[in-house]
Amino acid sequence: MTPLVLSPQLQGMIAFALTIVSTILGLAIGYLALRGYLQSRKRPMLFIAVGFFLVFWTPVLLLAGPLFVTVFGEFLYGILGEVSRVLGLLCILYGLWTPVDRTE
């Protein structure tokens, strides 16, 4: 069976569209988590909201890549995105792991 071969231009358009969709969905989830925090005032929910924003703003950073690569350099630019993702995941993990009754 022959693998599907797409032109580089079509591959770029698909990657761009998926990045936009994933960014919009992630920021919507972060917004809902932030609204949940504002309603409940529970600290774990704040960590979850912050974590989602840190994880899902990374695609926005990637879209602005050509601008940031010239400012920070390619290596530092890549590290910045990964550090943001790791910190966001750690915030989500902490928010999910922390017992609610302990934070009141």
Side-chain angles (χ1 to χ4, degrees):
M1 182 170 202
T2 307
L4 180 63
V5 178
L6 302 173
S7 71
Q9 183 180 10
L10 184 58
Q11 289 177 4
M13 288 172 47
I14 291 171
F16 180 77
L18 290 173
T19 300
I20 293 295
V21 169
S22 116
T23 301
I24 290 170
L25 288 173
L27 293 176
I29 292 168
Y31 171 74
L32 290 174
L34 185 60
R35 276 187 40 198
Y37 165 71
L38 293 174
Q39 289 175 356
S40 70
R41 296 291 181 193
K42 303 292 183 189
R43 196 168 141 202
M45 198 65 195
L46 177 62
F47 277 95
I48 293 170
V50 168
F52 274 116
F53 282 119
L54 284 173
V55 168
F56 285 106
W57 82 279
T58 304
V60 174
L61 183 67
L62 294 176
L63 289 176
L67 174 69
F68 288 122
V69 166
T70 58
V71 173
F72 295 115
E74 192 172 328
F75 177 74
L76 190 57
Y77 170 71
I79 293 295
L80 181 65
E82 289 304 314
V83 166
S84 170
R85 186 175 299 131
V86 168
L87 288 175
L89 291 172
L90 286 172
C91 284
I92 293 170
L93 180 64
Y94 179 76
L96 293 173
W97 192 2
T98 304
V100 176
D101 59 339
R102 197 181 94 189
T103 61
E104 293 184 82

